[in-house]
Every structure is written in C-alpha cells, then in structure tokens.
Amino acid sequence: QTLYMIAGAIGGGVTGYDTVRSLDIADRPDYNNAIAEALSGQETALWENTNTGTGGYIRAGQAYTDGNGEDCRQYRATVAFEDSVLNGPGAACRTQRNEWVLVADSFH
C-alpha cells in the first residue's frame, strides 16, 4: 500500500509539472504581487485569494541579464487550485521604472 502511495505522489507531481492551467483573472493581482516580492529580495513569497480559495507560493531562482541589458530572474510557482496542486517555471524582467514584467509564466 505504501508503494502505491509513493508511486501516486510521484506520478501526480510529474503530471502537475507538465500540466498548464491558467489562473482565474481574480487571482492574478495576488499572484503577480507575490512574484514581485519574491524577485525583489524575499526569495519566497506566499499568496492567497480568499475569494477563490486559490493560493500558493513563488520561489525566486537564477538571476540573468537579457539581450536588452535588463535584469531578469527565473522563478518557480506552485499553485493550489481547488482540485489540484500544480507547479511550473516562470521568468520576469525589471523595467527602468523598477517594476517586474512577466516574460514567461506557466499560469498566465
């Protein structure tokens, strides 16, 4: 029985990694704020939309400079939807106005 539970957890994690699912438009402000917090120095930021029940966390990753000379950073997002927990990669670049703009995201 334990073996089946472990196999199910691994299979579910792999499925979650490969599955793309969009956030509800109501979740995006909280999600985007958490990205900005994580990338601006907190390294990990939690978020939750109490109206939809969706939440998760953002973990900052590697920093890099893009072809235009902008400072960018990768991140990993984990999102708990009502019926599943999924995670995926993303990246954002900082503008001259010191705002983070998404350039890639698994949930948008």
Side-chain angles (χ1 to χ4, degrees):
Q1 184 176 16
T2 302
L3 182 58
Y4 289 118
M5 287 179 16
I6 293 170
I10 291 171
V14 170
T15 301
Y17 182 81
D18 291 335
T19 302
V20 176
R21 181 170 174 181
S22 294
L23 288 170
D24 187 286
I25 194 144
D27 295 323
R28 291 182 183 176
D30 294 323
Y31 179 78
N32 292 341
N33 287 339
I35 291 170
E37 288 176 21
L39 300 184
S40 295
Q42 284 191 334
E43 300 297 318
T44 301
L46 300 173
W47 69 277
E48 180 182 12
N49 182 333
T50 56
N51 294 323
T52 65
T54 303
Y57 66 93
I58 308 296
R59 185 177 23 199
Q62 174 122 5
Y64 64 96
T65 303
D66 74 0
N68 296 325
E70 291 182 327
D71 293 328
C72 302
R73 196 153 186 195
Q74 298 173 346
Y75 60 88
R76 175 145 304 273
T78 299
V79 178
F81 294 98
E82 184 177 302
D83 59 350
S84 62
V85 176
L86 305 174
N87 65 68
C93 294
R94 192 185 306 251
T95 67
Q96 292 179 351
R97 294 177 19 193
N98 206 28
E99 297 172 345
W100 289 99
V101 175
L102 301 182
V103 294
D105 185 86
S106 294
F107 298 103
H108 267 267

